[in-house]
């Protein structure tokens, strides 16, 4: 590159080279390398701008040389990323984040002259910035992640009222339909919901005759997917079609999950008198139509509990056999109309509870913090609860100290481990290692999450803002 033209022209040429490197970074360095290259490039551009404002050309060339030395480190090879490049990148990230925290601790520059900040509020801000990571995590948990018991009870009560109404309607309109007792499930029931109590699951158990139906594991089907099970109709030579109520939803000799969902959509979502139920429960209840799942939207309309944020209730037809729970969720098993989804949530939740009970650990505590961080951070929002739960389960195999005093250490380890999984492009299920829990993420989403998590390695507090 030649710098014989004007200063402005030289800067444009550098910008072109940097943009070219960024465009092709993913091909050369991979996802993690591209994220680090993006961070280092910000530092390079800042040095270039400062160099452009220098009075002497010699200083300009010197600063440009230093910038290109740092950039060469980033683009050298993926091996250097794990050795020396993190120090260069994190030096700039740490400096920027510390400067931002310092600005937050200072009083605003623009303020009316007659209004003087109170010493008490100033001391509180300084005290907040002086908190340790352990204290910040506890503060974040109690103020942002954890739900008030009254909010949980109110949401559960409303969901149970809806459950009672739907079950009463089905028993009166379809008395011959073999259904078990409907009940609530999911994170709201297990005290794992964070930020707000805005969703619940209504489980509708289907009762199948054991002699007429067999649950086929996903590995034994043509789909060979561990989470896509099938339900086969057996003993047709002795008990022809028509002996079971659910024979009407057979497709190719298997009970079709999609047909069952379509039946409940017509029998419940499109038939129930929702305005009447709304007036009975003093809230607005309406079905969310045009989607593959069975979902209701509830809004409280009067009293002190009125809120603009709706609550959603998902209606899930389920099949149970021992500790196996299959759900009819076409949005997860599409395009296979006969496939039923194997829910690993009960296994994961039970395992976390058992581990915490055995050593009085904080695994569930850490999981709720991670879920709240991902939900409140736009870059991390695509990361669902299942990968986070499995992240903690995997980490529990290698780390035995999960006491409350080690929460900050485990939190930082979770960030580091998650970066590694994103670089590999795979986070395998704890109970089904053949299942990759990151397959639903796009490359752009992985890039954004990797960038945010790399920034949080040296300053984890940025995730708790």
């Amino acid at each position: 590159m030649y710098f014989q033209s004007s200063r402005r022209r030289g800067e444009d040429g550098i910008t072109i080279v940097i943009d070219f490197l960024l465009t092709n970074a993913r091909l050369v360095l991979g996802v993690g390398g591209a994220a680090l290259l993006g961070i280092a490039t910000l530092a390079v551009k800042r040095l270039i701008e400062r160099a452009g404002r220098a009075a002497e050309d010699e200083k300009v060339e010197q600063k440009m040389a230093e910038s290109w030395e740092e950039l060469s480190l980033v683009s050298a090879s993926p091996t250097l990323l794990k050795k020396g490049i993190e120090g260069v990148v994190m030096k700039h990230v740490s400096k920027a984040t510390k400067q931002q925290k310092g600005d937050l601790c200072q009083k605003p520059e623009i303020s009316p002259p007659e209004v003087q900040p109170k010493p008490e509020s100033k001391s509180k801000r300084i005290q907040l910035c002086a908190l340790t990571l352990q204290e910040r995590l506890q503060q974040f948990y109690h103020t942002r992640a954890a739900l008030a018991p009254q909010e949980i009870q109110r949401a559960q009560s409303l969901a149970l009222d809806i459950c009672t109404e739907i079950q009463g309607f089905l028993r009166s309109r379809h008395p011959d339909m073999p259904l078990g007792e409907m009940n609530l499930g999911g994170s709201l029931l297990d005290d794992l919901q964070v930020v707000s109590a805005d969703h619940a699951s209504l489980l509708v158990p289907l009762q199948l005759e054991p002699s007429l139906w067999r649950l086929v594991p996903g590995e034994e089907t043509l789909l060979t997917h561990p989470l896509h099970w099938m339900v086969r109709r057996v003993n047709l030579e002795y008990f022809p079609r028509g002996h079971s109520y659910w024979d009407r939803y057979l497709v190719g000799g298997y009970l079709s999950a999609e047909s069952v969902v379509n039946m409940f959509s017509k029998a419940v979502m499109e038939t129930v008198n929702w305005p009447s139920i709304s007036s009975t429960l003093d809230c607005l209840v309406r079905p969310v139509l045009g989607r593959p799942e069975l979902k209701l939207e509830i809004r409280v309309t009067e009293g002190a509990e009125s809120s603009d944020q709706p609550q959603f209730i998902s209606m899930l037809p389920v099949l149970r056999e021992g500790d196996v729970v299959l759900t009819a969720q076409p949005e997860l098993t599409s395009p296979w109309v006969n496939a039923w989804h194997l829910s690993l949530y009960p296994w994961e939740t039970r395992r976390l509870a058992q581990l915490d009970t055995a050593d009085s650990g904080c695994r569930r505590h850490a999981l709720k913090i991670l879920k709240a961080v991902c939900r409140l951070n736009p870059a991390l929002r695509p990361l669902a609860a299942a990968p986070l739960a499995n992240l903690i389960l995997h980490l529990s195999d290698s780390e035995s100290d999960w006491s409350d005093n080690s929460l900050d250490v485990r939190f930082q380890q979770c960030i580091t481990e998650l970066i590694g999984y994103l670089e590999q492009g795979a986070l395998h299920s704890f109970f089904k290692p053949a299942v990759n829990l990151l397959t639903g993420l796009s490359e752009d989403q992985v890039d954004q999450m990797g960038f945010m998590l790399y920034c949080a390695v040296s300053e984890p507090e940025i995730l708790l803002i």
Side-chain angles (χ1 to χ4, degrees):
M1 179 176 295
Y2 299 94
F3 295 96
Q4 298 174 354
S5 301
S6 64
R7 219 176 271 165
R8 178 71 259 172
R9 184 176 178 182
E11 294 176 4
D12 292 341
I14 294 171
T15 303
I16 293 175
V17 174
I18 292 174
D19 291 339
F20 175 79
L21 289 174
L22 285 175
T23 303
N24 297 275
R26 187 182 300 164
L27 298 177
V28 179
L29 303 176
V31 174
L36 283 175
L37 179 57
I39 300 173
T41 305
L42 294 178
V44 173
K45 289 186 175 180
R46 289 177 181 174
L47 291 177
I48 294 173
E49 292 175 357
R50 288 198 296 267
R53 291 192 296 266
E56 299 178 1
D57 294 338
E58 295 179 359
K59 293 184 179 181
V60 173
E61 295 178 358
Q62 181 180 359
K63 291 178 180 291
M64 296 293 290
E66 293 176 355
S67 300
W68 283 111
E69 287 179 2
E70 293 185 10
L71 184 59
S72 64
L73 287 175
V74 182
S75 57
S77 67
T79 305
L80 292 179
L81 292 175
K82 296 184 179 180
K83 293 184 178 180
I85 187 57
E86 282 139 344
V88 177
V89 175
M90 293 311 167
K91 176 182 67 177
H92 296 286
V93 175
S94 177
K95 181 179 179 180
T97 51
K98 287 180 179 178
Q99 181 178 0
Q100 183 179 8
K101 285 177 62 180
D103 295 339
L104 291 176
C105 296
Q106 297 175 0
K107 63 180 180 180
E109 295 180 359
I110 302 175
S111 60
E114 63 276 3
V115 178
Q116 298 295 333
K118 296 181 179 180
E120 295 180 359
S121 60
K122 183 178 180 179
S123 62
K124 288 181 179 179
R125 288 196 299 270
I126 296 176
Q127 182 181 3
L128 180 62
C129 295
L131 295 177
T132 64
L133 177 58
Q134 178 78 5
E135 294 169 338
R136 289 293 301 274
L137 287 170
Q138 295 292 352
Q139 182 187 60
F140 180 84
Y141 175 79
H142 292 292
T143 59
R144 308 293 296 278
L147 302 179
Q150 298 82 358
E151 183 179 2
I152 297 176
Q153 183 179 1
R154 183 168 61 248
Q156 290 180 349
S157 176
L158 182 58
L160 286 173
D161 290 339
I162 299 293
C163 174
T164 302
E165 294 289 341
I166 293 178
Q167 182 157 348
F169 175 83
L170 288 174
R171 286 177 176 175
S172 61
R173 290 293 187 93
H174 305 276
D176 57 335
M177 184 183 297
L179 297 176
E181 194 72 20
M182 297 169 62
N183 60 287
L184 295 182
S187 59
L188 181 63
L189 185 67
D190 299 321
D191 191 25
L192 288 176
Q193 199 158 134
V194 296
V195 182
S196 63
D198 56 2
H199 62 280
S201 297
L202 176 57
L203 306 182
V204 186
L206 279 58
Q207 293 181 338
L208 301 180
E209 298 84 352
S211 60
L212 302 182
W213 303 93
R214 176 175 175 264
L215 306 187
V216 184
E219 296 86 349
E220 300 178 12
T221 66
L222 294 176
L223 305 180
T224 65
H225 194 294
L227 300 184
H228 293 174
W229 285 42
M230 302 183 75
V231 183
R232 179 187 299 163
R233 178 68 158 86
V234 296
N235 293 329
L236 283 171
E237 61 275 15
Y238 303 108
F239 304 97
R241 293 185 60 167
H243 278 73
S244 174
Y245 176 89
W246 304 108
D247 283 342
R248 63 193 73 182
Y249 306 109
L250 282 175
V251 175
Y254 295 88
L255 180 61
S256 171
E258 186 176 279
S259 299
V260 172
V261 170
N262 291 337
M263 178 272 294
F264 279 111
S265 179
K266 294 178 181 178
V268 178
M269 299 296 169
E270 301 177 9
T271 307
V272 172
N273 188 351
W274 298 113
S276 175
I277 294 179
S278 299
S279 60
T280 302
L281 301 179
D282 292 331
C283 62
L284 179 62
V285 183
R286 59 184 179 184
V288 181
L289 302 177
R291 304 182 64 175
E293 66 266 29
L294 305 170
K295 183 174 288 188
L296 295 172
E297 178 184 348
I298 299 96
R299 291 181 181 270
V300 178
T301 55
E302 59 180 56
E305 303 173 357
S306 103
S307 173
D308 294 335
Q309 185 174 5
Q311 178 181 348
F312 293 95
I313 297 180
S314 297
M315 186 176 173
L316 296 178
V318 299
L319 296 173
R320 290 192 178 97
E321 185 177 280
D323 61 347
V324 173
V325 178
L326 305 181
T327 60
Q329 294 180 274
E331 66 275 11
L332 299 179
T333 57
S334 178
W336 318 111
V337 298
N338 290 343
W340 290 72
H341 177 71
L342 173 64
S343 177
L344 300 179
Y345 173 81
W347 300 356
E348 297 162 356
T349 305
R350 183 166 56 249
R351 177 63 176 169
L352 287 172
Q354 290 173 349
L355 291 173
D356 279 349
T357 302
D359 59 5
S360 300
C362 62
R363 296 171 185 83
R364 288 164 54 89
H365 195 156
L367 175 59
K368 294 174 72 172
I369 291 177
L370 290 173
K371 289 175 63 175
V373 165
C374 292
R375 181 168 179 178
L376 296 173
N377 192 308
L380 303 177
R381 198 166 294 161
L383 203 57
L388 299 177
N390 284 267
L391 170 67
I392 294 178
L393 288 175
H394 285 301
L395 192 58
S396 296
D397 283 345
S398 58
E399 298 293 341
S400 58
D401 183 12
W402 283 87
S403 61
D404 290 336
N405 294 332
S406 64
L407 178 61
D408 55 339
V409 179
R410 299 288 88 85
F411 180 77
Q412 290 177 303
Q413 278 187 312
C414 286
I415 295 176
T416 305
E417 292 292 323
L418 190 53
I419 291 175
Y421 288 127
L422 290 174
E423 288 180 341
Q424 298 172 9
L427 198 172
H428 298 286
S429 170
F430 184 81
F431 292 100
K432 294 288 184 179
V435 177
N436 180 10
L437 300 174
L438 300 181
T439 52
L441 299 176
S442 66
E443 291 185 0
D444 290 339
Q445 290 173 337
V446 172
D447 287 344
Q448 293 177 8
M449 287 188 287
F451 181 87
M452 176 59 65
L453 292 173
Y454 269 117
C455 294
V457 169
S458 60
E459 293 291 339
E461 292 85 357
I462 65 174
L463 298 178
L464 308 177
I465 296 176

